[in-house]
Amino acid sequence: MMLIDYFINKPQHKVSQLSHQMDLQDELKRQHHQAFNYRLKRFAVSKVGIASAFTAGMGYEALNDPQPKSSKLKQIGRFSWLLRLL
C-alpha cells in the first residue's frame, strides 16, 4: 500500500495540481486577450480613434505624394474640416 501511494497517488496529485494551475493561467491569458480586443474595438469606433486614423492616413498620403510641399499642405487643409467635424 505504501509503494502504491508513493509511486502512483502522490505524483498523480502533483500532476493534477499543475494541470489545474496551467488551466488557470490559460484562462487568465484568454480573458486578458479578450479584454484587450474589446478595448481596441471600442477605441477604433470612437471619435478619437477615427480622428487619429484619419490624421495618420492624411499624413502618410501627404508624405508619399510626389507633388511639392505647398500642395501637400493644401491637401491637408482641404480635409481639415472633416477632422474638425470628428
Side-chain angles (χ1 to χ4, degrees):
M1 183 68 176
M2 195 171 185
L3 286 174
I4 292 173
D5 189 45
Y6 182 76
F7 285 114
I8 296 175
N9 291 339
K10 284 186 180 179
Q12 182 61 32
H13 176 70
K14 288 188 178 187
V15 166
S16 62
Q17 187 179 14
L18 285 173
S19 177
H20 180 68
Q21 287 176 351
M22 289 176 64
D23 289 344
L24 285 176
Q25 285 180 347
D26 287 343
E27 180 61 21
L28 282 174
K29 286 180 186 177
R30 188 193 66 78
Q31 288 178 1
H32 284 285
H33 184 70
Q34 190 176 15
F36 177 75
N37 281 341
Y38 172 75
R39 285 190 216 108
L40 187 63
K41 287 177 185 175
R42 196 175 72 195
F43 174 75
V45 298
S46 68
K47 287 183 178 181
V48 174
I50 293 171
S52 62
F54 176 76
T55 306
M58 284 303 301
Y60 180 77
E61 286 294 323
L63 289 175
N64 288 336
D65 194 12
Q67 297 173 357
K69 286 193 177 212
S70 62
S71 66
K72 293 177 191 176
L73 293 175
K74 287 179 186 176
Q75 184 182 11
I76 292 174
R78 273 189 293 168
F79 292 103
S80 65
W81 63 271
L82 182 59
L83 185 61
R84 277 186 248 125
L85 177 68
L86 296 173

